[in-house]
Every structure is written in C-alpha cells, then in structure tokens.
Amino acid sequence: MLIQYIDGIYVCDIKTSLEKRLYEKYDIDIVLNFTIDYPFIDSDIKKTRIPVSNILNFHTDIPLIKNNLSNILKYIYDNFINHNILICCHDGNTISPTIVGLFLHKYANIQLNMIKDLLLSKNKYVNIEYDLSVFLQ
C-alpha cells in the first residue's frame, strides 16, 4: 500500500516499492530504502540505502538513524519540491513513517507528541511504539 503523507513524499513497504507502475503513476524518481538487503527496483532513479533492520534494533538501528538523521532529512527537504520521493521499509508502517514524522517535526514544527496521531490519520497501520525523541540529538 502506497501512502502519501506530504505532497511529493510517499511511503510503502519494500514489496510495493518493486512495482514499476507506481513509479510511472506517481512520477517517483528518488527512493530511500530503509532495509539492510532488500533490492531496489531496476530503474533509472536515484537510490539511497539506509541499512536498518526490520525490528529497529535499539543498539544498532536507532543510533544509525540518529547519527544520520540531519543528512537524511536535509536530503528529503532539498529534493521533495522538484522530485517525488518514495521512502520504503520492510512493512511501510514503522521506519518510513517515522522518518516522515521526524521530517514534519523539523520542517513543519509539528510537536513530537502530535506526530503519531497525524501519521495515523493517513494510515491506521502506522506502528510507532517508541518515543520519537530517541532520534533527536
């Protein structure tokens, strides 16, 4: 299932990210893949992997995201006006919406305690069971 949280920013699970028709239909030309080894679609688009496990391990994955969060969010910000971006993770309901939520916190000044409800209004399957402040420095 593909969800558009913000104009130009889409989220889905890794399996859906391999459906070529979505890239054409939504004019997606940048993909951020938050999996360790799941493939990208075979297409001429910008591809970036952030190697995160599907369990979002507190000792490895959260520090990886935290240490790179500023660069990840800046990359999204610098590109989402002129490019449609797809952010995918194992299930499309945990890591990908978390990144969108952190993006909204930073660039739209949405309070962290409001992020989960905002994301749930677009996707009732969002699964964020941790305090988002763990990602902030």
Side-chain angles (χ1 to χ4, degrees), residues 23-121:
Y23 293 83
E24 296 163 359
K25 181 176 181 179
Y26 298 101
D27 195 28
I28 294 169
D29 51 3
I30 295 176
V31 176
L32 300 176
N33 181 332
F34 282 84
T35 69
I36 292 175
D37 58 2
Y38 281 91
F40 287 92
I41 191 167
D42 185 20
S43 182
D44 188 27
I45 57 174
K46 293 180 186 176
K47 303 169 187 170
T48 301
R49 179 181 306 278
I50 298 89
V52 179
S53 73
N54 62 334
I55 60 169
L56 198 59
N57 183 290
F58 192 78
H59 299 290
T60 56
D61 300 326
I62 289 179
L64 175 72
I65 293 173
K66 182 178 179 177
N67 292 336
N68 293 285
L69 186 62
S70 180
N71 290 333
I72 294 166
L73 298 182
K74 183 172 181 344
Y75 181 76
I76 295 169
Y77 182 79
D78 289 346
N79 286 285
F80 87 104
I81 298 297
N82 296 316
H83 302 277
N84 288 340
I85 300 171
L86 177 62
I87 304 171
C88 57
C89 64
H90 179 73
D91 66 0
N93 295 318
T94 52
I95 300 164
S96 301
T98 296
I99 298 301
V100 172
L102 293 167
F103 179 83
L104 290 169
H105 173 69
K106 181 170 184 170
Y107 292 105
N109 296 315
I110 307 292
Q111 295 177 0
L112 285 178
N113 63 346
M114 298 176 69
I115 295 294
K116 186 174 179 181
D117 288 338
L118 181 64
L119 297 172
L120 283 167
S121 73

